Amino acid sequence: MKAIKRLFYALGMATLIGFFAILMSYTNDGFQELDLRTMEWLHGNVFLDALSVFGERWMIFIVSLGLMVFLWLKRQNYRGMLFVFLTVGIGNALSQLMEYFFTEQRPDLPRGLETFGFPSSHAMVGLLYLFTAVYFITGLIRNNGVRWAIWIFTTLFVAAVGLSQVASGQHFFSDVLAGWFIGYSLFAAVAVWYEMRERSFKKEIEEESFE
């Protein structure tokens, strides 16, 4: 599990740099060509389009609330509850704020929306709530192979949920990619804070036990 965490945390810095790189260049010809090609490839994909439900606010709210109740009643993990608030709650607010600041329009397609779309909130907050849930779920599992399998499946599922926005015509691929990058960076930052606090708390308990 430690190897997984080291890998995930290192990626947090890389994705933060990647987000700013996209922010500075997503209107360039190269990104516009990529957006066009991915739109032609994925638009109308019924399977991906159906997965967009997993990025809807009501779904995110239900799963996140359920996770917080579990952490409260079953684990008495109040820092874990704060973890969920910081990733999902603050992440959602940050997503909405960025959509007001950045004026990239959604694709001009029949189901497109006349609102700002950079980055994709489905991609960003979808990653945040699913990764947060899996973080705590895998923390209860001892088998490393099962942990890896869960993380790999969840990563693929998060990718599909993000791409559902391209399939439905509500976002460009650059919006989705930026959402993944900034969402993962926030998740990694909160996870680092959480584990530092957990180690500090355990150390304090051990010191008290020797007094």
Side-chain angles (χ1 to χ4, degrees):
M1 190 61 179
K2 290 182 179 179
I4 298 176
K5 290 178 179 177
R6 285 196 295 268
L7 173 62
F8 283 5
Y9 298 158
L11 285 174
M13 182 58 69
T15 52
L16 182 62
I17 295 171
F19 170 77
F20 284 105
I22 296 172
L23 179 62
M24 298 299 293
S25 59
Y26 69 94
T27 58
N28 292 350
D29 291 342
F31 260 116
Q32 290 181 1
E33 180 67 18
L34 176 63
D35 286 338
L36 177 61
R37 296 304 179 191
T38 52
M39 184 65 68
E40 292 175 347
W41 180 41
L42 295 176
H43 182 58
N45 185 302
V46 177
F47 173 74
L48 285 177
D49 194 356
L51 293 179
S52 66
V53 67
F54 292 97
E56 297 291 342
R57 287 190 176 89
W58 64 267
M59 176 67 75
I60 294 170
F61 176 78
I62 290 173
V63 173
S64 300
L65 180 61
L67 178 58
M68 292 185 75
V69 170
F70 169 77
L71 291 170
W72 175 34
L73 297 179
K74 297 296 185 179
R75 311 297 294 181
Q76 288 78 51
N77 187 346
Y78 303 109
R79 271 187 294 273
M81 295 171 66
L82 181 57
F83 187 119
V84 179
F85 173 76
L86 291 174
T87 54
V88 183
I90 299 301
N92 182 65
L94 180 61
S95 172
Q96 299 304 311
L97 185 63
M98 286 191 292
E99 286 192 349
Y100 280 106
F101 271 103
F102 304 127
T103 58
E104 176 71 359
Q105 296 293 326
R106 297 179 195 264
D108 185 18
L109 294 169
R111 290 186 57 190
L113 303 177
E114 293 300 323
T115 56
F116 302 145
F118 183 91
S120 165
S121 60
H122 261 66
M124 178 179 175
V125 188
L127 180 149
L128 283 166
Y129 92 94
L130 288 169
F131 272 24
T132 298
V134 168
Y135 177 89
F136 287 104
I137 291 171
T138 54
L140 303 174
I141 298 173
R142 295 181 180 275
N143 188 292
N144 283 332
V146 174
R147 290 171 177 167
W148 273 106
I150 292 173
W151 273 112
I152 291 170
F153 173 80
T154 304
T155 300
L156 294 174
F157 189 72
V158 165
V161 172
L163 292 176
S164 73
Q165 297 300 281
V166 181
S168 66
Q170 298 198 46
H171 277 287
F172 291 116
F173 179 70
S174 56
D175 302 334
V176 172
L177 188 61
W180 287 333
F181 279 5
I182 192 63
Y184 181 79
S185 296
L186 176 58
F187 168 79
V190 175
V192 168
W193 163 82
Y194 175 79
E195 299 212 348
M196 289 177 63
R197 291 299 302 155
E198 286 292 287
R199 286 194 295 269
S200 177
F201 177 72
K202 289 179 181 179
K203 184 177 180 181
E204 290 174 3
I205 296 297
E206 291 174 357
E207 290 176 349
E208 290 177 359
S209 65
F210 284 111
E211 292 180 357

